[in-house]
Amino acid sequence: MHIAAYIVIALAFAISNMLLFRRCAELTPIRLSRALWLTLCVSAVQTALFLLGWVLGDMLRFELPDDSSAFSSANAMIFLGLDIFVMLRMLLPYLRREPRLPLFDLGNNKATIAISLTAAINPLLVGLGAGFVASTSDIYKVWPIAMLVLLWLLGYWGVMLGRRKVAIRPVRWMLIASILLLGVGIAAMVNA
């Protein structure tokens, strides 16, 4: 996978973070200084679980001892399947007539842990799939700092939008994030 693929994955999850923090900050507005640390913690957990999934996927990848690219199309199909699963998991709640999306009290410390783990499941699954198509020797391509910064900035922006109750179109934003994830999955399949 190319560096651009990891940045696109990070952007898709950053959009999802923005929508989540916007909803939660609209429900319970918090100080911006607390929001800065909260979004940083959630972003760090998401990035760490993406990397953990990537390492686990690298261990589970199908390959032959003498030819590591023998099952590259099968590994790419696993990544595409996990990618589509996460994409649908993110998009389908927004397409309901009356969406019931998760809300967390940002002022509560227990909710901070819950939001960190809830938001990190999708990056874990995509990281698991990415490990099937890229080895851990390519860790310099993942750019975890870029992922952390994108998740942090868009999550913080979501808090600012929620505090001011700025109206956005969440279905369109989530559709963009889903298309980004699907594009990365298809590109991995084509390059296999």
Side-chain angles (χ1 to χ4, degrees):
M1 284 177 52
H2 299 285
I3 294 172
Y6 296 111
I7 293 174
V8 169
I9 289 171
L11 186 60
F13 289 128
I15 290 171
S16 177
N17 263 7
M18 182 212 32
L19 295 174
L20 175 66
F21 281 113
R22 189 214 162 271
R23 279 193 317 270
C24 295
E26 187 176 20
L27 175 71
T28 56
I30 60 171
R31 291 189 339 251
L32 288 178
S33 59
R34 177 168 167 77
L36 195 65
W37 290 107
L38 176 71
T39 54
L40 178 63
C41 291
V42 171
S43 302
V45 169
Q46 285 179 309
T47 303
L49 284 181
F50 176 80
L51 291 174
L52 175 69
W54 189 51
V55 169
L56 290 174
D58 184 36
M59 286 188 229
L60 297 172
R61 181 179 44 229
F62 300 114
E63 58 187 9
L64 295 175
D66 55 342
D67 186 14
S68 62
S69 64
F71 295 106
S72 62
S73 61
N75 290 329
M77 287 181 76
I78 291 171
F79 173 63
L80 180 64
L82 283 169
D83 199 41
I84 289 173
F85 173 74
V86 169
M87 180 200 69
L88 291 175
R89 189 173 183 273
M90 287 171 45
L91 181 64
L92 288 180
Y94 285 90
L95 297 179
R96 293 183 184 151
R97 285 186 188 257
E98 294 180 22
R100 291 180 297 182
L101 302 167
L103 290 170
F104 299 94
D105 179 14
L106 297 179
N108 187 352
N109 288 333
K110 291 180 183 176
T112 303
I113 296 169
I115 198 170
S116 296
L117 296 177
T118 304
I121 291 172
N122 291 336
L124 175 70
L125 292 174
V126 172
L128 183 68
F132 275 91
V133 293
S135 70
T136 52
S137 63
D138 296 335
I139 195 146
Y140 67 93
K141 290 184 179 180
V142 175
W143 285 34
I145 300 299
M147 184 175 206
L148 177 70
V149 168
L150 274 173
L151 291 170
W152 186 26
L153 290 178
L154 263 69
Y156 191 63
W157 185 44
V159 170
M160 288 190 283
L161 292 174
R163 286 186 64 201
R164 297 207 176 245
K165 297 183 179 11
V166 175
I168 61 171
R169 298 177 189 253
V171 176
R172 286 186 186 175
W173 281 102
M174 189 51 71
L175 194 60
I176 290 169
S178 300
I179 290 171
L180 290 173
L181 280 178
L182 183 63
V184 170
I186 291 172
M189 190 68 197
V190 168
N191 290 335

